[in-house]
Amino acid sequence: MSHAEPRPLTVSARGPLRGSVTVPGDKSISHRSLMFSALAVGESRIEGLLEGEDVLATAAAMRAMGADIERGPDGVWRVHGVGVGGLLQPQAALDMGNSGTSTRLLMGLVASHAITATFTGDASLSSRPMGRVIEPLSKMGAEITASPGGRLPLMVRGINPAVPIEYTLPVASAQVKSAVLLAGLNTPGITRVIEPVPTRDHSERMLRGFGAELTVEDGPQGKIISITGEAELKPQHIVVPGDPSSAGFWMVAASIVPGSEIVIRNVCMNPTRTGLITALKLMGADITEVDAREVGGEAVADLRVRHAPLKAIEVPPELAPSMIDEYPILFVAASYAQGRTVARGAHELRVKESDRIATMRAALEAAGVRTEEHADGLTIEGTGGDPLPGGAQVASKLDHRIAMSMTVAGLGAARPITIDDVAPVATSYPDFFQTLDALQ
């Protein structure tokens, strides 16, 4: 799963973006649809699955633990599951490539099965701390041996029966929440997660859809999510909506390039995922929801985006959990806005595929943007709609979102911007560059 030769790319301004685009299936939902289908008894069908490297790593891992997963010639994925409690001992290490979601959620699954799994990943993933997942899973009885700093490679020795726990999330993290809930699936009794700050809730929605006994209540400390263990999941037909994180690149591109007007079809509008839309609208972006509907328990809409002058804002910190992956592209929007944008409340960016605060600051400054770095975000002095100076080479740091964000930044720059390596884009959006060419 590791990336081979770096793939540099030089991006120049190329005029308005016009047309319609369907973004890849939502990455979070794609991961979970494979995992939960692999734990159901019978055949599940998945349409619209994101076929990027991260999700394919999840598919490979579930196959290694006994599930039968195949992609049909019609593009529909069919999964014959092993049932909760039925995971088999993998015969080799599970290579997670660049996928932190796969790693953390699968650690949760393994933790309550009587199997042992070793997790490996690429250089970027191996630098990311896993301690926040190790802590609650260890309390449930799993034995986890990690590399120094709680990093990959690591080995999870699951236990059955595991011990149900009540766990308050110390940081807002849908991955940690989901890891504990997935461990609770095969744990006798009730496992509870207390969530002081709401995060994306795809696991809760989908687990209920598969037949798990899961409740969500409001308590004095936040949301209390309870799952009853030893569940029996029923196979499902899943239609994966478009990824709002992937849609964000086109929202900002159309907003900053004069004359642009595009329609982004079938975007997941789950309220825990729409923080970027809220922030861009506060900045004056022209984004209209069309044909709002519900598909498989998730809100979906088409988005019409027209070029509009953006103005600086102080980004409400409470939006952070619903747009944490979109901060890099928000920083690009801020670079073209009128005034000083302050985007804070995003400590989590320090431990993503790269340190996204430091990496975006360095990239934007190289392209001529004035920034100030904070522990939890950036302050950015925008151009007021004028082109960025550009004329720079920037480092993606093996981070797909940095590579795509700086590609968008180059679309309105006075001089070309060269990104040292765009190969990591394949982890989440394999057709990104073909889509860009089609829109121009």
Side-chain angles (χ1 to χ4, degrees), residues 3 27 50 52-55 98 353 400 423-430:
H3 299 297
K27 188 148 72 93
L50 168 62
E53 291 175 359
D54 281 11
V55 174
N98 189 242
E353 282 84 334
H400 56 125
V425 169
T427 65
S428 68
Y429 201 155

Side-chain angles (χ1 to χ4, degrees), residues 2-228:
S2 58
H3 299 297
E5 291 297 314
R7 182 182 154 205
L9 179 74
T10 298
V11 184
S12 303
R14 289 184 274 179
L17 282 72
R18 296 294 181 100
S20 66
V21 56
T22 301
V23 295
D26 183 84
K27 188 148 72 93
S28 296
I29 295 174
S30 292
H31 282 303
R32 289 160 173 81
S33 65
L34 284 171
M35 291 181 195
F36 301 167
S37 296
L39 293 171
V41 177
E43 182 185 271
S44 293
R45 298 170 66 245
I46 308 170
E47 295 182 42
L49 188 84
L50 168 62
E51 296 180 3
E53 291 175 359
D54 281 11
V55 174
L56 297 181
T58 292
M62 298 315 297
R63 282 193 195 102
M65 291 187 284
D68 182 5
I69 303 175
E70 296 295 338
R71 181 191 190 276
D74 55 359
V76 176
W77 289 70
R78 290 170 173 82
V79 182
H80 289 269
V82 296
V84 173
L87 293 181
L88 303 180
Q89 172 69 44
Q91 298 306 303
L94 303 176
D95 183 355
M96 298 290 94
N98 189 242
S99 182
T101 303
S102 304
T103 306
R104 294 187 175 112
L105 269 60
L106 290 174
M107 286 172 65
L109 278 184
V110 170
S112 59
H113 285 74
I115 61 175
T116 298
T118 298
F119 293 85
T120 63
D122 67 10
S124 171
L125 182 60
S126 298
S127 70
R128 299 177 67 179
M130 297 294 158
R132 59 180 58 175
V133 184
I134 292 171
E135 181 194 3
L137 297 181
S138 298
K139 289 181 177 179
M140 298 181 78
E143 291 184 31
I144 302 175
T145 306
S147 298
R151 291 173 164 81
L152 269 56
L154 62 75
M155 183 174 69
V156 180
R157 182 176 286 108
I159 186 169
N160 184 254
V163 180
I165 61 170
E166 181 174 293
Y167 187 71
T168 301
L169 294 177
V171 294
S173 172
Q175 292 180 0
V176 178
K177 170 177 67 174
S178 297
V180 176
L181 293 175
L182 294 191
L185 264 181
N186 197 42
T187 299
I190 297 176
T191 297
R192 288 189 176 87
V193 178
I194 298 172
E195 185 178 52
V197 178
T199 64
R200 57 185 66 177
D201 63 354
H202 302 303
S203 291
E204 296 94 303
R205 289 171 184 259
M206 194 175 289
L207 282 168
R208 276 196 294 248
F210 271 86
E213 190 177 329
L214 183 145
T215 62
V216 181
E217 304 168 281
D218 289 321
Q221 296 174 280
K223 289 197 178 301
I224 304 168
I225 304 123
S226 305
I227 189 163
T228 300

